[in-house]
Amino acid sequence: MSSEGIHNEKQLLLQIAQGDRDAFRAFYAAYYSRVQQYVALFEPARTSQDELTQDVFVRIWEKRARLAAVESLKGYLFLVTRNVVFNFIRALKVRQRVQQLDESVQVVSNELEHELLFKQYYRIAIEAMDKLPPGRRKILKMSIDDGFSLDEIASELNITRAGVKKQLYAATAFVRQYLQEHGEITLLLFVFLSLFEL
């Protein structure tokens, strides 16, 4: 099925928003190639295109309640794809940075230890985020979890870009300080802290 074969796009999105799996399968079949084209714009390496395209549809399904309010499906697909690919690239850069640091100090990597430390830092970061005021926490989650830009957050919350930046700066500074105070000091901690840099 092509995207042109879907006559009532809005109705399809409403059905998916209500959890209709058949509607989602039709949507998947119709828009898979378009999403893959968007993925290729940001990540031309063919090795990860299929995986990232699948991730986009997983993300759309997980956030399906938002589909009811989507005005431009093309725009929404582009935005979700961009966020998924950017998060992938950011995670890849962090892994590369960990590897470079390990090599520079000739540390023998212990994957299990790294995984345990990463989980520990993640738990501490969640603790820190839970201590933030609700509005500030929401802005930070929109930035980290959804990959929203300052302008997108400002538009979504109907506040100024400067206001978003100020709240985001305060939130990331708090989380970084909390991590430094409560996390075991390792090279991985400094890499993890880089996730909370503006």
Side-chain angles (χ1 to χ4, degrees):
M1 181 189 292
S2 68
S3 56
E4 290 77 12
I6 295 179
H7 300 296
N8 193 337
E9 189 178 89
K10 190 68 177 173
Q11 180 60 32
L12 183 73
L13 295 182
L14 286 172
Q15 289 175 312
I16 297 170
Q18 293 165 359
D20 188 325
R21 292 179 181 273
D22 290 333
F24 184 74
R25 277 190 282 271
F27 170 79
Y28 177 92
Y31 289 98
Y32 185 92
S33 61
R34 173 168 287 165
V35 168
Q36 194 162 53
Q37 288 171 357
Y38 288 161
V39 167
L41 289 175
F42 299 108
E43 176 57 28
R46 290 187 174 276
T47 53
S48 54
Q49 281 182 11
D50 287 337
E51 180 185 347
L52 288 169
T53 302
Q54 297 288 340
D55 288 348
V56 169
F57 283 99
V58 169
R59 186 59 175 258
I60 290 171
W61 178 254
E62 288 173 345
K63 307 282 186 180
R64 60 189 174 274
R66 294 182 179 179
L67 292 173
V70 168
E71 294 298 330
S72 167
L73 180 55
K74 287 181 184 177
Y76 182 73
L77 287 175
F78 187 84
L79 178 66
V80 174
T81 302
R82 186 201 68 181
N83 291 343
V84 166
V85 176
F86 281 8
N87 285 340
F88 167 79
I89 291 171
R90 181 165 49 184
L92 192 62
K93 285 181 178 176
V94 169
R95 285 198 295 272
Q96 289 170 344
R97 200 180 299 181
V98 169
Q99 187 176 356
Q100 289 166 357
L101 284 170
D102 279 354
E103 289 171 357
S104 69
V105 293
Q106 298 180 337
V107 173
V108 177
S109 176
N110 182 325
E111 288 186 15
L112 180 59
E113 183 181 346
H114 271 192
E115 186 177 340
L116 291 172
L117 281 171
F118 194 88
K119 286 179 179 177
Q120 176 193 352
Y121 298 148
Y122 183 80
R123 179 184 55 76
I124 294 170
I126 294 298
E127 279 178 17
M129 290 169 73
D130 285 343
K131 293 179 183 299
L132 291 169
R136 192 170 289 173
R137 180 169 64 245
K138 183 173 185 179
I139 288 173
L140 183 59
K141 286 191 172 186
M142 289 175 76
S143 174
I144 293 176
D145 293 345
D146 298 321
F148 283 11
S149 68
L150 296 177
D151 290 328
E152 289 164 347
I153 297 172
S155 174
E156 185 93 3
L157 300 181
N158 199 25
I159 57 179
T160 66
R161 186 180 190 278
V164 171
K165 188 172 183 179
K166 181 180 177 183
Q167 291 297 320
L168 196 53
Y169 181 83
T172 55
F174 176 80
V175 174
R176 283 174 60 82
Q177 182 180 350
Y178 193 89
L179 274 162
Q180 287 174 312
E181 290 173 357
H182 295 84
E184 181 184 345
I185 303 301
T186 65
L187 284 173
L188 186 60
L189 174 61
F190 293 105
V191 175
F192 193 86
L193 286 170
S194 72
L195 294 174
F196 296 93
E197 289 175 356
L198 285 182

